[in-house]
Amino acid sequence: MHETPDITRKNQSLDSVSWNILGQVYTPKQMSDDSFSWHAVFPEESFVPPHVHPHQDEYIYVLEGRIDLILDGKTTFASAGDLVRMPRGIPHAFFNNSGAAAHALFWAAPAGKLVELSRRIHNMSSPAEVVKVAREYDVVFLPPVSAAAPVPLLRKGWSRALSCACEAKSTTLASMRPRA
């Protein structure tokens, strides 16, 4: 994928597609080998559990709302205008506990297999299947962090899915960190 000079307008996406990723809406804005960006809408009480990108740096620019985060083991939050930096190999998770939808621009560099992953898990309804498939695309979900999310979120199937995925996990977190 090579970058092309163009403008992706406010209410447009590349290839006229948006992906439903377990209730969140991801709208691709830019794709190349070097990076991938997408607009994300996180409905109230939605989240992405703890995971690692071993080969990519990921960023979130919050456009609207608030996103609670676990970033390298620390809890924090980002609000409209904030930029979150998540270097490759660093565990992170995000939660919308704000009571309203949150909007953000995400991007990852390099793009890696994230475009293919998004296409594959679009409309997939099983969190366990998402966790399993994600490993094939270099996204590794970690054991659940029960204190990070309100109890209702953990009842939506993620806790069991993550436990199953982690039991099958053969890669250690230390081995995923970038080497100097």
Side-chain angles (χ1 to χ4, degrees):
M1 286 182 289
H2 295 287
E3 189 63 82
T4 56
D6 205 351
I7 297 171
T8 308
R9 300 289 176 189
K10 180 179 180 178
N11 295 317
Q12 292 180 333
S13 68
L14 295 180
D15 302 328
S16 300
V17 66
S18 288
W19 298 306
N20 173 10
I21 311 291
L22 295 170
Q24 300 162 15
V25 179
Y26 294 176
T27 304
K29 294 293 189 176
Q30 173 275 332
M31 295 179 208
S32 73
D33 291 335
D34 296 321
S35 64
F36 168 46
S37 67
W38 64 99
H39 178 269
V41 178
F42 289 97
E44 178 182 354
E45 294 188 359
S46 63
F47 66 102
V48 177
H51 64 285
V52 171
H53 302 268
H55 309 293
Q56 297 152 305
D57 299 322
E58 186 177 17
Y59 305 89
I60 307 171
Y61 184 78
V62 181
L63 299 168
E64 181 180 321
R66 174 186 161 130
I67 299 173
D68 294 323
L69 299 132
I70 298 174
L71 185 56
D72 200 18
K74 299 177 183 109
T75 57
T76 189
F77 70 92
S79 299
D82 291 342
L83 175 69
V84 180
R85 299 178 313 278
M86 300 166 286
R88 64 192 77 197
I90 299 298
H92 56 278
F94 11 99
F95 307 86
N96 181 354
N97 300 318
S98 70
H103 295 255
L105 179 67
F106 279 69
W107 68 97
K113 301 177 185 176
L114 285 179
V115 174
E116 293 84 0
L117 172 63
S118 298
R119 288 177 178 144
R120 176 130 179 236
I121 64 175
H122 170 59
N123 284 332
M124 194 176 276
S125 61
S126 166
E129 187 66 16
V130 169
V131 167
K132 180 181 171 186
V133 166
R135 290 187 60 78
E136 298 170 31
Y137 296 87
D138 299 330
V139 177
V140 180
F141 284 91
L142 304 175
V145 181
S146 59
V151 172
L153 294 182
L154 295 176
R155 291 185 187 142
K156 292 183 180 182
W158 274 106
S159 183
R160 183 180 180 292
L162 290 173
S163 295
C164 293
C166 291
E167 288 171 12
K169 186 174 108 168
S170 61
T171 307
T172 66
L173 183 58
S175 71
M176 291 184 282
R177 291 204 184 252
R179 293 190 170 93

